[in-house]
Amino acid sequence: MNEAVLKSPQPARTVLSVLGAASFCHLLNDMIQSLFVAAYPVFKGGFDLSFAQLGLLTLTYQVTASLLQPFIGHFTDRRPQPYSLPFGMGMSLSGLLVLSSAPSFTVLLIGSAMLGVGSSIFHPESSRLARLASGGAHGFAQSLFQVGGNVGSAIGPLLVVAVVLPYGQGSLAWFAFVALGGVIILTLLGRWYKRNGHAVRRPRVIVAPEDRPARRQVIGGLSVLFCLMLSKWFYLASFTSYYVFYLMEKFPLSEGDAQIYLFIFLAAVAAGTLIGGSVGDRIGRKKVIWGSILGALPFALILPYVGLTATVLLSIAIGLIMSSAFSAIVVYAQDLVPGRIGMISGLFFGLAFGLGGIGAAILGVLADAVGLEVVYQVCAFLPAIGFLAVFLPDIEHGHKS
């Protein structure tokens, strides 16, 4: 029909080699970021940092990442920049080198900001690349891309146990070679991007009026998604920044054992991310969003009051359930605002970093004041914000109940 002609064409098939390479580079990027966070015990001991200062490190890194991403995405919607991908990885490489030799807390802040800038450049254009190679399976492509990042985040604590704890802060520089490999792969992906015509500046996509979500739906939907992101990332910040310290404080665990349990949680997050995107393609993203955040509530409420084994099992369930939402949220938002793939990707990846950073900073101050157990008791109620998902507009005509 004529309406179909007016819409942006989709690739004829899913390009798995490109998706796999993009996911692998996401793994490398987020592994570097995870190394930084997992090395907090090393920084805490070496520089005698408080929980509030650790929260400030997270805030600096994640807010730096979040502020730039929507602007970079908006710019590349109009002028695609395929070779910004290796540049972003190169910035992360530089941040690693600064962190490995930082003599003071101030220089640690500078290194964390450089990591944030690297992520802010990498995510919007690589998320667009995943959608271009999706062949129309947007949820699957987005979840495969994101699971690379989740796996990288999960590997970070293991590398800290194996390398950084035994050899100290300076060993972070060894991972610059990993980042260099990412630069090479991303350069090749940039060539594919350009060779297939995706780097050409295109006119604004025209969408048939009856298919375009109403302005009221767009504003309302984005507002609800923001609240759900706040719930998700504030709660996850309690794990990514403080779970190791929580386990060491509440149970007789060594730092190495606590890092292993953090890896288990992050592995559950990776599995949930991969599952959520494919399920969203089949049953609709609104249902996945509704169930994934709110579904974690009973497990979150129980977690602060149980023993070690139950804590680990509940954290696995929480990681699986909550992480299934993110790919669904990103693709739902992309469908809600058609023709703005880069801007929306940058906005939501930016929100993930920014809200996580703000959450880590607030929770760090709270932990210094009342202790980590109280932090987890308070955070347990955050998934209740998932009730707001009922107000998301129904824009998925193929998945109506």
Side-chain angles (χ1 to χ4, degrees), residues 8-76:
S8 178
Q10 298 293 345
R13 60 187 176 85
T14 304
V15 188
L16 286 175
S17 59
V18 172
L19 281 177
S23 181
F24 180 69
C25 289
H26 199 185
L27 182 153
L28 298 181
N29 181 82
D30 285 24
M31 185 193 76
I32 292 169
Q33 323 299 322
S34 179
L35 275 172
F36 166 59
V37 177
Y40 278 7
V42 175
F43 298 142
K44 190 176 192 299
F47 296 94
D48 193 26
L49 304 181
S50 67
F51 285 122
Q53 286 176 305
L54 291 177
L56 182 58
L57 274 177
T58 305
L59 179 66
T60 301
Y61 152 59
Q62 293 187 320
V63 169
T64 305
S66 67
L67 289 177
L68 291 176
Q69 288 202 41
F71 297 104
I72 291 172
H74 177 70
F75 177 79
T76 56

Side-chain angles (χ1 to χ4, degrees), residues 13 23 35 100 118 134 174 182 241-242 335 373:
R13 60 187 176 85
S23 181
L35 275 172
S100 69
S134 70
W174 301 350
S241 292
Y242 304 113
D335 293 339
E373 286 198 46

Side-chain angles (χ1 to χ4, degrees), residues 275-297:
I275 293 168
S278 298
V279 172
D281 281 338
R282 288 176 171 83
I283 70 171
R285 291 172 244 289
K286 183 176 176 181
K287 292 177 182 177
V288 172
I289 294 168
W290 169 259
S292 62
I293 298 181
L294 187 59
L297 181 60

Side-chain angles (χ1 to χ4, degrees), residues 117-363:
V117 171
S119 279
S120 71
I121 296 170
F122 172 82
H123 282 104
E125 202 70 344
S126 56
S127 181
R128 184 208 308 279
L129 181 72
R131 188 175 177 99
L132 291 171
S134 70
H138 298 148
F140 166 74
Q142 194 62 227
S143 63
L144 181 60
F145 168 70
Q146 289 177 19
V147 81
N150 292 145
V151 171
S153 296
I155 292 173
L158 296 182
L159 294 174
V160 167
V161 172
V163 179
V164 182
L165 290 182
Y167 298 103
Q169 177 185 347
S171 63
L172 288 171
W174 301 350
F175 296 98
F177 293 104
V178 173
L180 181 60
V183 169
I184 295 170
I185 296 171
L186 288 169
T187 301
L188 297 176
L189 285 177
R191 289 180 181 174
W192 175 88
Y193 192 132
K194 190 172 184 179
R195 188 171 60 246
N196 285 271
H198 300 306
V200 178
R201 182 175 178 177
R202 299 181 185 277
R204 185 172 299 178
V205 176
I206 302 173
V207 182
E210 57 268 31
D211 289 340
R212 187 196 301 272
R215 182 180 179 84
R216 176 178 52 82
Q217 285 185 312
V218 172
I219 294 174
L222 291 178
S223 299
V224 171
L225 292 178
F226 172 81
C227 294
L228 299 181
M229 290 282 287
L230 186 149
S231 163
K232 172 183 168 64
W233 290 103
F234 264 56
Y235 188 62
L236 288 181
S238 69
F239 282 88
T240 55
S241 292
Y242 304 113
Y243 191 48
V244 168
F245 299 108
Y246 172 74
L247 293 175
M248 293 171 62
E249 181 180 297
K250 187 172 182 180
F251 307 106
L253 291 178
S254 68
E255 185 177 314
D257 288 339
Q259 292 280 9
I260 296 298
Y261 288 126
L262 175 60
F263 163 75
I264 292 172
F265 169 76
L266 294 173
V269 169
T273 300
L274 186 60
I275 293 168
S278 298
V279 172
D281 281 338
R282 288 176 171 83
I283 70 171
R285 291 172 244 289
K286 183 176 176 181
K287 292 177 182 177
V288 172
I289 294 168
W290 169 259
S292 62
I293 298 181
L294 187 59
L297 181 60
F299 303 105
L301 291 172
I302 297 169
L303 183 136
Y305 306 101
V306 297
L308 176 60
T309 301
T311 295
V312 173
L313 293 175
L314 288 170
S315 69
I316 291 172
I318 291 167
L320 279 168
I321 295 169
M322 290 199 78
S323 62
S324 64
F326 190 46
S327 359
I329 286 174
V330 171
V331 178
Y332 180 93
Q334 289 173 345
D335 293 339
L336 192 64
V337 190
R340 291 288 180 266
I341 303 303
M343 185 189 74
I344 289 297
S345 299
L347 175 63
F348 278 86
F349 277 105
L351 279 174
F353 283 101
L355 292 174
I358 293 169
I362 292 173
L363 296 179

Side-chain angles (χ1 to χ4, degrees), residues 51 249 362-378:
F51 285 122
E249 181 180 297
I362 292 173
L363 296 179
V365 173
L366 186 61
D368 282 333
V370 299
L372 281 171
E373 286 198 46
V374 176
V375 167
Y376 277 81
Q377 291 167 5
V378 172

